[in-house]
Amino acid sequence: MPSRSDDNAIDKDPIDKDPIDKGPIDKDKGEHLPHLRADGAPPRPSWLPRQRRGITPQMIGRYPDYDVLENADTWDEMTRGVVLARLDPPGPLRFFEPSEEATLRAFCDVTTGQDEDPRVPVAESVDAKLADGKLDGFQYADMPDDRDTWHLVLAGLDESAHERFRTGFGQCRLDEQEQLVRDFAAGRLSGGSWNELNVSRAWSVCMRAILSGFYSHPWAWNEIGFGGPAYPRGYMRTGALNTTEPSESRGATQEDPVGTVRRESEEFPG
Amino acid sequence: MSIKDRLRNAAKGSIGPADNDSRFLLDVHSRALPGRQTMQQYDDDDEVDLAIVGAGAGGSVLAQRLARKGWRIVVIEAGPFWDPDKDWVSDEAGSHGLYWTGKRIIGGADPIELGKNNSGHGVGGSMVHYAGYTPRFHPSDLETFTRDGVGADWPIRYEDLLPHYERVERELPVSGQNWPWGHPHSYPFSPHPVSEAANVVWRGAEQLGIGMRVGPVGIVNGTFGNRPHCIYRGYCLQGCKVNAKASPLVTHLPDALAHSVEIRSDCMAARIELDESGRARGVVYLSEPGGAERLQRAKFVAVAGYSIETPRLLLASTSARFPHGLCNDHDVVGRYVMVQGATQTAGRWPEELRMYKAPPPQVSSEDYYETDTSRGFARGFSIQTVSPLPIGWAEHVLADGHWGRAMREYMRDYNHWATVGVLNELLAHPDNRITLADEVDAYGLPVARMDYSLTENDKANEAYSTKVITDILKAGGAQDVLTIHRYAHLIGGARMGSSPGTSVVDANQRSWAVPNLFLADGSVCPTQGSANPALTIMALASRLAERMADGSAMSDDPEQRAGPFRARQPVG
């Protein structure tokens, strides 16, 4: 374990060497979008502004001065209760075994791109869903119950990690974990626990729970500039481009703020 | 434009239905149904006129109509009786309770995801969480076999549904532009304003010469009795806390309660019980898992559990007379269940569009609805804008192949995207069916299994339509696109027809095998068109109610049972 931590320190993030990142990214041209980049991969998160108001996962986002929680007093009571409960400090895992925890946390981190705190507690969200039996209402005929699927997937990730990297999934380097997850997403893992699953379907079962956990959290709404609940207040500015509600704030841009302020004061004197 | 159409246009927004007071029976200050406190209650042994299983689009309309004719009615509903103020939230993950999440098994070559995707639970049914699109079927949908050699013909014609379409549109009420497709018609309320996320799609379609129209949606534009104007908060799929979006909970059940209907919520129907003569005695149900079986006696029984639960209930209702399930002498129950292809493609613009504002359903096109042989497949598809909220958007991004940091990058770009989807008419096939699995649910009842496999025609339709919506976005200036292939809606599974060997119910939705048993939901539809099914399910129930009230639905005349349009379907 200690020796592997050293490896981590040496090669913490292979994307740091991304040759594509040269100069500032033009958001208007979509230069940050994987499809539009030569290597098909996202740029380093460092192109993003740091969050100045409220919290986002890893304190990065496109709306540095927006905190959806500042609107919580305009939400109806039931909605406020459900959303704010997600900010409570997460308790211990109830569904997963302690032996599964490292793999679970690493898997949730890699699939949601969370590499440092503050983290949205995705593992706890998945754990709660499974512990409470709040399943989705369908089970593939060639698959076990979703709860069994999760146990098998975590075991499978560990088995594959041992096979390839001679250590558990949770102890692998980030690029190793990403390689395994890439193969999982493509349905390319097999042997051992994987043989009891339809691997592609297992990926969709797991990701359904993970995405729901991550994007139900208000920190993730801050990151993406989502307006959030709007009852009873409602949204009134739905028409023209770039029209924002009083409670919304525009995304960050690369423009020179001094020039903009000067121009606006000339265009709108007084 | 006919004089009738001119009058409808002039009266837009000012005329409500004459025989449904639901809009006045709601409270302005709270969303719970005031009539629930004083709801009629019947004893199990009190033989009511009608027991209905399911308080959704079909069951609620049937109950409201017949209650007004003096029928004594109990509706048995598996899910809760909602108090939207307390039970519903403006939140995706928090809306889990709105969906049918009891286990179901999905199989076949192309298994269909259920749950929040297409299955409701509770009073109001799936319309509680539908987006709100309420298009009519086209006349061609009822005769696809005659016209195109695919699917099946219905035993009834579009003209049989027309007066009920108009009536239900006044009750919801539907707002939208004058409709040029299918049987051209206008709507009782004018179209909603359109957000920029829909405008960019509209402009792309315009570039390609594809006609778009605003609506049709069952969402109040203006006010309607005590129902307020939509506030464009975007959470239509999580239950409308405003009472602006139509669902039976606000459009039909208030009036039904005022006319002595009992909604018996949280009660799971177990089977239909027959008497010695082969008539239904009533509905056996459980008021809690592990509880004692109860029998609600009734002169007539109508099942309205939708395309999975209706076949499940019939198949589970076995007896010496029906060893393979009620009404299943010819192995038709559960077959020909359908879903619609619902691929969605999102496009990216430099400006912030913020698609979460305004209702997800905004503008649509039916230019590709009917068969055009040059496309290489039979039947067609419709095009509709949609607006996923963050979790839905994450599923969209994932489906395009992005997870981890790539997904986060696309997610952060959320406000720059607009989404347009299709509804493909997938063709009915006997092997796409509901059966009973070996497992049982919390009530000890066998769970449903749904098998689904696409035909070559279905795949060709999906591929063609995906290219059309992608082209629309690109023509509108999208810089990047992301696509998710998915399925939506349910229909069929216990179809109506002109002969007992090929259908479960006759042209009056009365079962061929049990004289006092009716099916009152979307399971009876032999085809589905490319239209969202809610309005048609309500219109069918409205027609059924009319015919039950005047007795014509109980006719044993073979001509009456076979229907005005002699249904045909492929042999074998």
Side-chain angles (χ1 to χ4, degrees), chain A residues 35, chain B residues 395-402 410 480-484:
Chain A
H35 279 165
Chain B
E395 289 169 350
H396 190 129
V397 170
L398 177 78
D400 199 86
H402 311 279
Y410 275 116
D480 188 5
V481 294
L482 294 169
T483 297
I484 177 172

Side-chain angles (χ1 to χ4, degrees), chain A residues 13 15 27-30 32-36 42-43 45 47-48 57-58 60-63 76 78-79 82-83 86 110-115 129 134-141 145 174 178 181-182 185 201 203-204 207-208 211-212 214-216 221 223-245 248-251, chain B residues 31 84-94 96 100-116 193-197 199-200 203 230-235 241-242 348-354 356-358 389-391 393-395 398 400 402-417 439 449 451 479-482:
Chain A
D13 188 350
I15 307 293
K27 178 174 64 70
D28 290 348
K29 290 183 183 157
H32 56 301
L33 300 173
H35 279 165
L36 305 185
W47 80 279
L48 293 160
Q58 294 78 58
I60 51 175
R62 292 265 295 276
Y63 300 84
D76 68 278
M78 304 313 293
T79 300
V82 164
V83 174
R86 296 176 187 142
V110 172
T111 50
T112 57
Q114 298 202 92
D115 53 4
K129 176 187 165 89
K134 286 194 167 180
L135 306 185
D136 298 328
F138 55 94
Q139 177 185 323
Y140 291 96
D145 185 279
L174 179 61
E178 286 183 336
V181 170
R182 192 171 301 118
R201 285 178 185 152
W203 170 252
S204 94
M207 289 307 289
R208 246 188 352 251
L211 296 180
S212 177
F214 192 80
Y215 286 106
S216 61
W221 301 346
E223 182 190 14
I224 70 176
F226 173 53
Y231 174 80
R233 183 188 59 197
Y235 289 123
M236 295 298 142
R237 282 89 175 159
T238 63
L241 284 170
N242 287 329
T243 307
T244 48
E245 311 283 327
E248 293 169 336
S249 92
R250 300 252 180 94
Chain B
R31 254 37 72 178
D85 288 333
K86 295 196 177 77
D87 300 336
W88 298 353
V89 288
S90 295
D91 186 73
E92 287 180 278
H96 191 261
W100 190 288
T101 52
K103 185 180 282 189
R104 289 159 166 174
I105 307 295
I106 54 173
D110 305 283
I112 304 300
E113 295 195 357
L114 305 172
K116 75 172 180 179
V194 169
S195 81
E196 196 57 24
N199 270 334
V200 295
R203 285 196 290 270
C230 175
I231 63 169
Y232 303 128
R233 76 190 172 115
Y235 284 89
K241 285 185 77 106
V242 182
R348 200 268 178 184
W349 275 262
E351 302 84 7
E352 287 177 12
L353 303 173
R354 296 185 185 256
Y356 57 83
K357 300 199 277 189
L389 294 176
I391 295 173
W393 177 237
E395 289 169 350
L398 177 78
D400 199 86
H402 311 279
W403 51 270
R405 284 189 295 211
M407 176 199 71
R408 288 277 292 280
E409 201 60 66
Y410 275 116
M411 290 301 299
R412 280 190 289 264
D413 214 44
Y414 176 55
N415 285 341
H416 293 264
W417 292 73
E439 281 184 71
R449 173 180 170 131
D451 283 282
Q479 301 162 296
D480 188 5
V481 294
L482 294 169

Side-chain angles (χ1 to χ4, degrees), chain A residues 86-206:
Chain A
R86 296 176 187 142
L87 299 171
D88 292 343
L93 299 182
R94 292 182 284 142
F95 174 79
F96 291 103
E97 302 294 331
S99 60
E100 297 174 303
E101 185 166 347
T103 303
L104 172 71
R105 291 193 183 284
F107 178 57
C108 291
D109 278 356
V110 172
T111 50
T112 57
Q114 298 202 92
D115 53 4
E116 62 180 37
D117 285 340
R119 283 177 167 84
V120 169
V122 176
E124 283 81 0
S125 162
V126 172
D127 181 80
K129 176 187 165 89
L130 298 173
D132 298 339
K134 286 194 167 180
L135 306 185
D136 298 328
F138 55 94
Q139 177 185 323
Y140 291 96
D142 57 358
M143 289 277 288
D145 185 279
D146 285 3
R147 287 163 287 208
D148 298 326
T149 296
W150 268 96
H151 288 308
L152 287 165
V153 162
L154 297 182
L157 285 170
D158 248 357
E159 291 160 15
S160 296
H162 276 285
E163 197 178 292
R164 278 192 212 175
F165 306 115
R166 297 180 304 282
T167 186
F169 183 82
Q171 289 74 46
C172 285
R173 291 196 319 251
L174 179 61
D175 62 316
E176 293 168 344
Q177 291 169 341
E178 286 183 336
Q179 186 193 112
L180 287 165
V181 170
R182 192 171 301 118
D183 286 347
F184 180 18
R188 285 195 298 254
L189 296 176
S190 60
S193 300
W194 299 114
N195 289 351
E196 295 177 50
L197 297 166
N198 176 321
V199 178
S200 297
R201 285 178 185 152
W203 170 252
S204 94
V205 167
C206 294

Side-chain angles (χ1 to χ4, degrees), chain A residues 16-91:
Chain A
D16 277 341
K17 296 171 190 162
D18 183 357
I20 309 290
D21 283 357
K22 287 179 188 149
I25 288 168
D26 188 338
K27 178 174 64 70
D28 290 348
K29 290 183 183 157
E31 288 177 354
H32 56 301
L33 300 173
H35 279 165
L36 305 185
R37 294 168 61 78
D39 62 351
R44 284 175 306 178
S46 57
W47 80 279
L48 293 160
R50 301 288 295 175
Q51 196 69 11
R52 293 185 285 255
R53 202 161 174 177
I55 298 173
T56 64
Q58 294 78 58
M59 292 308 278
I60 51 175
R62 292 265 295 276
Y63 300 84
D65 296 311
Y66 173 68
D67 183 6
V68 71
L69 292 169
E70 288 175 10
N71 303 322
D73 62 344
T74 70
W75 305 341
D76 68 278
E77 189 184 339
M78 304 313 293
T79 300
R80 189 163 56 239
V82 164
V83 174
L84 297 187
R86 296 176 187 142
L87 299 171
D88 292 343

Side-chain angles (χ1 to χ4, degrees), chain B residues 40-373:
Chain B
Q40 181 77 39
Q41 299 204 328
Y42 299 95
D43 289 335
D44 285 335
D45 291 333
D46 182 356
E47 188 185 65
V48 295
D49 296 313
L50 175 65
I52 299 174
V53 179
S60 300
V61 172
L62 185 67
Q64 183 266 339
R65 295 283 196 270
L66 289 175
R68 279 206 167 231
K69 300 288 183 186
W71 289 45
R72 299 162 70 247
I73 299 171
V74 172
V75 184
I76 294 167
E77 163 59 46
F81 202 135
W82 302 115
D83 175 351
D85 288 333
K86 295 196 177 77
D87 300 336
W88 298 353
V89 288
S90 295
D91 186 73
E92 287 180 278
S95 299
H96 191 261
L98 297 184
Y99 315 117
W100 190 288
T101 52
K103 185 180 282 189
R104 289 159 166 174
I105 307 295
I106 54 173
D110 305 283
I112 304 300
E113 295 195 357
L114 305 172
K116 75 172 180 179
N117 195 30
N118 52 14
S119 301
H121 188 239
V123 177
S126 299
M127 279 181 82
V128 163
H129 61 81
Y130 82 141
Y133 275 119
T134 50
R136 299 180 186 177
F137 280 18
H138 287 200
S140 71
D141 290 329
L142 282 71
E143 42 193 76
T144 62
F145 185 67
T146 296
R147 286 180 183 231
D148 304 303
V150 296
D153 291 344
W154 294 38
I156 61 173
R157 302 153 305 178
Y158 181 82
E159 292 70 34
D160 297 305
L161 280 177
L162 178 58
H164 301 283
Y165 273 142
E166 292 179 345
R167 192 171 164 189
V168 174
E169 283 166 357
R170 282 194 297 274
E171 293 174 294
L172 293 183
V174 180
S175 64
Q177 284 187 287
N178 290 345
W179 211 246
W181 294 289
H183 174 248
H185 56 277
S186 60
Y187 286 110
F189 272 66
S190 51
H192 283 270
V194 169
S195 81
E196 196 57 24
N199 270 334
V200 295
V201 174
W202 183 292
R203 285 196 290 270
E206 207 166 38
Q207 288 288 318
L208 301 180
I210 298 169
M212 299 289 285
R213 289 288 184 280
V214 182
V217 293
I219 300 173
V220 177
N221 184 20
T223 59
F224 187 64
N226 291 345
R227 286 173 58 197
H229 194 295
C230 175
I231 63 169
Y232 303 128
R233 76 190 172 115
Y235 284 89
C236 298
L237 276 68
Q238 286 70 35
C240 184
K241 285 185 77 106
V242 182
N243 272 359
K245 190 189 81 175
S247 86
L249 189 65
V250 293
T251 60
H252 289 82
L253 292 178
D255 195 68
L257 294 184
H259 290 84
S260 302
V261 169
E262 178 188 348
I263 311 285
R264 205 167 290 163
S265 53
D266 296 306
C267 287
M268 183 70 187
R271 64 181 183 276
I272 311 293
E273 191 154 291
L274 304 185
D275 64 18
E276 301 74 24
S277 70
R279 292 175 65 87
R281 288 180 69 216
V283 178
V284 177
Y285 67 97
L286 296 138
S287 53
E288 58 184 331
E293 283 191 350
R294 296 166 62 179
L295 170 68
Q296 175 61 54
R297 299 196 52 220
K299 292 191 182 74
F300 292 93
V301 172
V303 183
Y306 210 8
S307 292
I308 297 177
E309 295 306 314
T310 290
R312 180 189 179 200
L313 182 63
L314 295 179
L315 293 171
S317 298
T318 53
S319 59
R321 162 69 185 85
F322 293 102
H324 306 295
L326 201 58
C327 309
N328 199 26
D329 289 338
H330 302 279
D331 192 22
V332 184
V333 172
R335 292 189 184 273
Y336 306 101
V337 70
M338 288 165 273
V339 297
Q340 287 169 328
T343 297
Q344 295 174 356
T345 300
R348 200 268 178 184
W349 275 262
E351 302 84 7
E352 287 177 12
L353 303 173
R354 296 185 185 256
M355 63 177 158
Y356 57 83
K357 300 199 277 189
Q362 294 203 62
V363 302
S364 55
S365 173
E366 293 175 357
D367 265 4
Y368 294 87
Y369 200 101
E370 268 88 16
T371 299
D372 174 346
T373 49

